[in-house]
Amino acid sequence: MPIVVTGATGQLGRLTVEALLQRGIPAADIIATGRDTTRIKDLADRGITVRRADFADTDGLAEAFAGADRLLLISASVPVGERVANHRRVIDAAVVAGVSLVAYTSTTHADTATTVIGATHRETEEYLRDRGTPSVLLRNGWYLENYTSQLPQILRNGAVVGAAGDGRISAASRADYAEAAAVVLSAEGHAGAVYELGGDESFTLAELAAAISAATGEQIAYTDLPVTDFAQVLATAGLPAELAEVLADADRGMNRGEMHTDSGNLHHLIGRPPMTLTEALTAALHH
């Protein structure tokens, strides 16, 4: 049952490969792909098949997926404007390869989300359905690492800055999302499923600030800005203008509840409680 993992050069992809191995999938049955295969040479050294796959290269994708039975399509990163076209090429190549199941990392409530990111995921989900390939939608919520990676800056500034208002966020760790992906790729009975994935405990950005205060002993506040002002703050911090606008727009979606789920799907899939915000903060601070 050869399983292809796209984006294995990225963090979520690599963690999924590791999770597949931990679930007993033989290395010989895993095909790890990415644009720069030198970054995953160590996986080849462990007996995993490593192939180059560039989402913009149709012919190369067909070669990368040859012989595969199942495929994990990890959504492409920016530029957002090219995302859907890239995803369609991957799905088309999977169909040509005769893949029996495509698992796609989408976003929470992709069918109703109003964000720019949500729209790209919705279009990809619709294309998957149109192609008729058996699929499972892994609607991943926000990453806890999106916040823990910002801890040095948050502590320097004494504030969490955002535009999410009182919106609740169901975040989880990349490792937990990767484990869920490994479960659906390596077991039967998931075709056609739509999983809304997130942590068991949701939080607002004000609660995030309070949790950081409790974990560090520093007084951290939450500064809520209008979306356009938050985009400007991100751009001033050095992010490209398009990415700054997309991330600020994501906060707008959070304010509308688009990053909140109480489905319990992640807990159910991985068979244990996902990592909590407090656990993530503790781990990051003692890293």
Side-chain angles (χ1 to χ4, degrees):
M1 184 179 68
I3 299 170
V4 171
V5 177
T6 69
T9 50
Q11 296 175 82
L12 182 62
R14 175 173 279 272
L15 286 167
T16 302
V17 170
E18 298 293 350
L20 286 167
L21 292 169
Q22 289 166 12
R23 288 185 59 78
I25 301 299
D29 280 348
I30 301 173
I31 302 169
T33 71
R35 276 191 300 180
D36 181 3
T37 55
T38 62
R39 294 170 58 189
I40 47 177
K41 181 183 178 299
D42 62 301
L43 296 180
D45 295 340
R46 294 160 65 186
I48 291 167
T49 299
V50 169
R51 296 176 182 168
R52 185 175 187 276
D54 183 336
F55 284 9
D57 177 7
T58 301
D59 293 339
L61 289 172
E63 293 174 16
F65 302 162
D69 180 56
R70 299 184 177 188
L71 181 141
L72 175 65
L73 169 50
I74 293 180
S75 53
S77 54
V78 289
V80 172
E82 299 171 18
R83 199 180 215 184
V84 176
N86 282 335
H87 292 169
R88 287 176 174 171
R89 280 188 285 269
V90 172
I91 293 164
D92 289 344
V95 171
V96 170
V99 168
S100 69
L101 181 75
V102 174
Y104 172 60
T105 62
S106 186
T107 190
T108 46
H109 311 296
D111 51 336
T112 57
T114 63
T115 58
V116 172
I117 292 175
T120 66
H121 286 298
R122 181 165 54 255
E123 287 183 54
T124 302
E125 289 187 3
E126 289 169 351
Y127 193 73
L128 256 178
R129 280 193 293 273
D130 291 344
R131 287 308 314 254
T133 306
S135 63
V136 53
L137 303 179
L138 300 166
R139 289 180 172 171
N140 291 349
W142 222 229
Y143 295 145
L144 285 168
E145 290 88 347
N146 289 350
Y147 298 117
T148 57
S149 65
Q150 296 178 37
L151 278 171
Q153 181 182 343
I154 290 169
L155 292 171
R156 269 199 312 274
N157 297 338
V160 172
V161 180
D166 295 325
R168 303 201 70 79
I169 302 157
S170 302
S173 69
R174 279 194 184 91
D176 286 343
Y177 290 129
E179 189 172 337
V183 168
V184 303
L185 289 166
S186 60
E188 300 300 325
H190 296 286
V194 179
Y195 295 119
E196 299 282 352
L197 302 177
D200 286 350
E201 302 173 5
S202 62
F203 54 86
T204 65
L205 291 188
E207 290 168 352
L208 169 66
I212 296 171
S213 298
T216 63
E218 304 285 337
Q219 192 54 46
I220 306 297
Y222 171 50
T223 302
D224 192 57
L225 299 175
V227 174
T228 52
D229 291 0
F230 183 40
Q232 184 59 50
V233 167
L234 293 172
T236 301
L239 290 183
E242 183 197 38
L243 179 57
E245 289 178 9
V246 167
L247 291 176
D249 182 61
D251 265 35
R252 180 188 61 77
M254 290 173 193
N255 198 8
R256 293 170 52 90
E258 294 176 8
M259 278 291 179
H260 175 252
T261 176
D262 56 6
S263 71
N265 285 167
L266 183 57
H267 187 149
H268 175 72
L269 282 174
I270 65 178
R272 58 173 174 77
M275 176 179 278
T276 65
L277 173 61
T278 299
E279 290 167 345
L281 290 173
T282 300
L285 289 166
H286 292 88
H287 180 61

